């Protein structure tokens, strides 16, 4: 939420990259673990079925968020004005063109990350084939496509709401997704971690420090600006090189660190892992809560009371979501285990 004071501490204010880059990189990483290893283990048909099911769940989540946004905004608008940018297709163009949203022909600015994920996941079988044939060939082709988009940003998917196309150009962001998949392969060869090189850690750390100094919102904190250079914000739609280097530096430092693995075993690390196991549900509910929080701030102000209540309530609701779905997941596992002896006895 832009009005949220905690927003100043999110990763987008600490470097060029933000949560979107990390999400796509980890999506590629997780896709290889879930589906890249699934092709040889479960076979082509079963793995393709799982990918299709996952894409279907992503589409359902996107649709549910869109419907929730429309209902909430239209209801809220009955009592107080709502800025148009909260929901472009419904407020600016009316419901007559709303079908474009469900066909992904119109992507509102607040609901554009899951469609990117759907496209990348749907293309994963093709990526898998090229990676299995030659990983470096796959990286080379993916890099060439990313470079082409950065040279000519007009190459993009059409977006009825924006003549420039999708905000997250899939043809550029696929490179980060492929890098994540290849990172999973490399980590799998080293017991789950990337090889640790001191010189590379120094380079990554130095770049992240430069990124922090350049991207930090000095004026918001009332501090003097100490940027080494005066760089324009790197383009997010095409995944500009500065953003790409930022997220890769973070990824390498974390994935090659024993401290990160030790942190993952703490109670806080396990709580974050719980959110990760139910990431789609947490994201869906969190996105709707984001809209409600923005509406409250816009309507009633951004005082400390609203800041505290909205943040505590939002975090508590998201934690409850993880608990509910984790219990559901455990019950399903228990039912599966209890049914196995019966199947064996019947056979």
């Amino acid at each position: 939420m832009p009005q949220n004071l905690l927003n100043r501490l999110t990763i987008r204010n600490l470097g060029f990259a933000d949560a979107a880059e990390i999400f796509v990189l980890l999506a590629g990483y997780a896709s290889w673990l879930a589906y890249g290893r699934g092709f040889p283990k479960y076979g082509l048909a079963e793995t393709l079925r799982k990918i299709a099911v996952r894409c279907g769940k992503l589409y359902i989540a996107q649709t549910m968020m869109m419907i929730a946004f429309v209902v909430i905004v239209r209801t809220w608008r009955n009592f107080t004005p709502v800025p148009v940018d909260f929901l472009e297709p419904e407020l600016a163009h009316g419901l007559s063109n709303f079908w474009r949203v469900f066909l992904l022909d119109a992507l509102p600015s607040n609901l554009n990350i899951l469609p990117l994920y759907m496209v990348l996941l749907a293309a994963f079988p093709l990526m898998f084939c090229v990676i299995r044939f030659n990983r470096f060939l796959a990286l080379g082709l993916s890099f060439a496509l990313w470079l082409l988009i950065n040279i000519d940003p007009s190459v993009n998917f059409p977006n009825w709401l924006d003549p420039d196309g999708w905000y997250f150009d899939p043809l550029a962001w696929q490179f980060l997704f492929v890098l994540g998949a290849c990172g999973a392969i490399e980590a799998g060869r080293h017991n789950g971690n990337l090889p640790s090189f001191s010189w590379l850690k120094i380079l990554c750390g130095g770049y992240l420090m430069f990124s922090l100094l350049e991207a930090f919102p000095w004026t918001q904190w009332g501090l003097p600006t100490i940027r080494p250079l005066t760089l324009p914000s790197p383009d997010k739609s095409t995944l500009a090189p500065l953003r790409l280097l930022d997220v890769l530096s973070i990824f390498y430092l974390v994935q090659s660190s024993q401290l990160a693995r030790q942190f993952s075993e703490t109670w806080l690390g396990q709580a974050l892992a719980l959110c990760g196991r139910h990431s789609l549900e947490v994201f869906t509910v969190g996105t709707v809560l984001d809209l409600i929080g923005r509406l409250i701030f816009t309507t009633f102000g951004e005082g400390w009371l609203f800041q505290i209540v909205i943040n505590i309530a939002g975090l508590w609701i998201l934690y409850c979501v993880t608990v509910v779905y984790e219990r559901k997941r455990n019950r399903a596992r228990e039912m599966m285990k209890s049914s196995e002896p019966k199947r064996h006895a019947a056979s």
Side-chain angles (χ1 to χ4, degrees), residues 1-4 6-22 211-212 214-217 220 233 236 243 246:
M1 292 176 286
Q3 309 99 317
N4 192 351
L6 290 182
N7 182 46
R8 299 184 185 182
L9 300 175
T10 54
I11 191 172
R12 74 181 187 90
N13 292 313
L14 305 178
F16 294 125
D18 59 24
E21 284 86 356
I22 293 177
S211 177
L212 169 64
E214 283 290 323
F216 190 78
Q220 286 188 11
S233 178
K236 192 171 184 177
R243 287 181 171 273
D246 193 293

Side-chain angles (χ1 to χ4, degrees), residues 5-218:
L5 292 179
L6 290 182
N7 182 46
R8 299 184 185 182
L9 300 175
T10 54
I11 191 172
R12 74 181 187 90
N13 292 313
L14 305 178
F16 294 125
D18 59 24
E21 284 86 356
I22 293 177
F23 168 74
V24 173
L25 181 65
L26 294 183
Y29 192 98
S31 293
W32 185 266
L33 297 180
Y35 309 115
R37 298 191 302 190
F39 279 112
K41 184 176 181 180
Y42 301 111
L44 176 64
E46 177 62 17
T47 305
L48 289 177
R49 185 192 69 81
K50 290 183 176 181
I51 293 176
V53 169
R54 183 62 175 175
C55 288
K57 289 182 178 179
L58 293 173
Y59 182 80
I60 291 173
Q62 175 77 4
T63 303
M64 290 177 62
M65 287 191 296
M66 196 70 252
I67 294 174
F69 267 50
V70 171
V71 172
I72 293 171
V73 169
R74 287 178 66 87
T75 302
W76 203 280
R77 195 175 55 174
N78 291 330
F79 303 97
T80 184
V82 175
V84 173
D85 63 350
F86 276 44
L87 195 63
E88 293 96 331
E90 197 274 328
L91 292 179
H93 303 284
L95 290 175
S96 60
N97 291 297
F98 206 68
W99 58 271
R100 297 178 183 274
V101 176
F102 297 106
L103 295 181
L104 304 183
D105 181 48
L107 296 185
S109 60
N110 297 322
L111 297 172
N112 51 17
I113 189 70
L114 283 190
L116 169 67
Y117 186 22
M118 278 185 266
V119 170
L120 296 178
L121 187 57
F124 179 77
L126 176 60
M127 298 177 186
F128 171 82
C129 293
V130 182
I131 291 174
R132 282 297 299 267
F133 177 74
N134 189 301
R135 181 162 43 127
F136 297 103
L137 174 63
L139 285 170
L141 293 174
S142 181
F143 169 79
L145 182 56
W146 168 81
L147 184 61
L148 171 65
I149 304 306
N150 275 266
I151 295 174
D152 184 6
S154 65
V155 182
N156 197 347
F157 284 24
N159 183 3
W160 185 72
L161 292 173
D162 187 348
D164 293 330
W166 284 27
Y167 181 66
F168 298 104
D169 189 338
L171 300 175
W173 284 72
Q174 53 77 31
F175 184 41
L176 190 55
F177 191 83
V178 172
L179 283 169
C182 292
I185 297 173
E186 190 64 28
R189 296 177 175 177
H190 298 86
N191 196 30
N193 289 331
L194 294 177
S196 179
F197 301 106
S198 298
W199 62 270
L200 187 52
K201 289 184 176 182
I202 293 173
L203 285 177
C204 291
Y207 181 80
L208 290 177
M209 180 58 65
F210 165 74
S211 177
L212 169 64
L213 295 175
E214 283 290 323
F216 190 78
W218 301 102

Side-chain angles (χ1 to χ4, degrees), residues 53 68 73 102 107 183 195 202 234 237 254-255 261 281 326 343:
V53 169
V73 169
F102 297 106
L107 296 185
I202 293 173
S237 180
V254 172
Q255 200 64 23
R261 173 164 289 191
E281 292 81 9
E326 183 68 9
R343 287 200 301 265

Side-chain angles (χ1 to χ4, degrees), residues 259-270 273:
L259 292 177
R261 173 164 289 191
Q262 293 172 8
F263 169 76
S264 68
E265 297 171 355
T266 65
W267 69 269
L268 180 56
Q270 289 300 304

